[in-house]
Amino acid sequence: MLNRLFRTQSHSIPRSFSTMQPTKRTFSPLYNSDGNAAADRLAFVHILERLKTQKRTGWVDHNVPSPESISDHMYRMAVLAMCTSDTQLDVSKCVMMCLVHDLVETNVTVGDITPREGIPKSEKQRLEAEAMHNFVHEMLHNSPTAQRIEHLWQEYETGETPEARFVKDLDRFEMASQAFEYEKNHGMTTLQPFFDSSLPAVRHPEIQQWGKDLLAERKAHQSSMDDIEAGRE
């Protein structure tokens, strides 16, 4: 059954890495239901396993040791959504949206397509919609659960509600946080584009403050490393 499920893919992050070579992917057909609801549901369970094992392409392309998976990224976003003090948000919806916003990237049809792969945005959107349709109708038989997942994903993609915009800002902040942690833990020196493509676009006031706090911590860490290096000279 698993051979029918996927097209191989990787999940990536920012946009402008002209010196980086994209992770190559091959494509195979979408999952086709054989009418067995139990088997189809298990197919969805198995495709979710890719959330735990699929590494995010941006980190892979930058040779980050042991890079995070898609689920690593989405899980921290979900917990961060619970940390907000914004009482105007539907926090439960935000948490669920965090957990499904990159779901289509577990599907072998899509992955996280990067601009340098030369795939037009309209084609990327088509592939993602096709993947979500496959989950909803072939695997989950258009059940209420499937419809909830689809509606949350569509709301995030449209980006018109406060919750969708908030989750998108969490996506940006989480990526910048991870970039700093790779700098700190692995001595990475090529990750500035991850900051440039994320924090300047944040619009939610609370997450803007989180971003400022993160950059202050990053600056202090860099100063500390400079002092250590100067002491060796």
Side-chain angles (χ1 to χ4, degrees), residues 72-139:
D72 293 333
H73 167 64
M74 296 199 299
Y75 177 79
R76 179 154 63 173
M77 282 179 60
V79 176
L80 287 174
M82 297 171 64
C83 294
T84 185
S85 61
D86 188 342
T87 59
Q88 300 302 308
L89 293 171
D90 182 338
V91 174
S92 294
K93 177 189 278 191
C94 291
V95 171
M96 289 188 290
M97 196 177 293
C98 288
L99 293 174
V100 304
H101 82 284
D102 280 341
L103 180 59
V104 295
E105 292 167 8
T106 67
N107 191 289
V108 287
T109 310
V110 183
D112 187 6
I113 297 170
T114 63
R116 63 187 182 282
E117 292 180 75
I119 299 176
K121 183 177 180 180
S122 59
E123 177 64 5
K124 178 178 182 291
Q125 291 172 336
R126 185 192 69 78
L127 289 169
E128 290 176 341
E130 182 183 64
M132 181 56 66
H133 185 273
N134 192 246
F135 295 150
V136 170
H137 295 279
E138 295 292 323
M139 297 181 183

Side-chain angles (χ1 to χ4, degrees), residues 145-209:
T145 295
Q147 292 174 24
R148 179 166 61 247
I149 290 172
E150 184 177 35
H151 292 160
L152 285 165
W153 177 77
Q154 289 175 338
E155 182 175 337
Y156 174 79
E157 287 294 306
T158 303
E160 294 180 352
T161 65
E163 287 76 14
R165 292 191 291 269
F166 174 76
V167 170
K168 183 60 182 176
D169 280 348
L170 283 179
D171 184 59
R172 295 169 174 133
F173 173 76
E174 199 286 328
M175 184 177 74
S177 299
Q178 188 64 69
F180 170 60
E181 287 153 2
Y182 288 145
E183 288 180 335
K184 182 172 61 174
N185 297 332
H186 302 303
M188 302 296 298
T189 61
T190 62
L191 304 183
Q192 183 60 40
F194 291 83
F195 296 93
D196 295 340
S197 65
S198 59
L199 295 181
V202 170
R203 294 293 176 264
H204 190 278
E206 185 172 34
I207 305 179
Q208 284 180 335
Q209 185 59 54

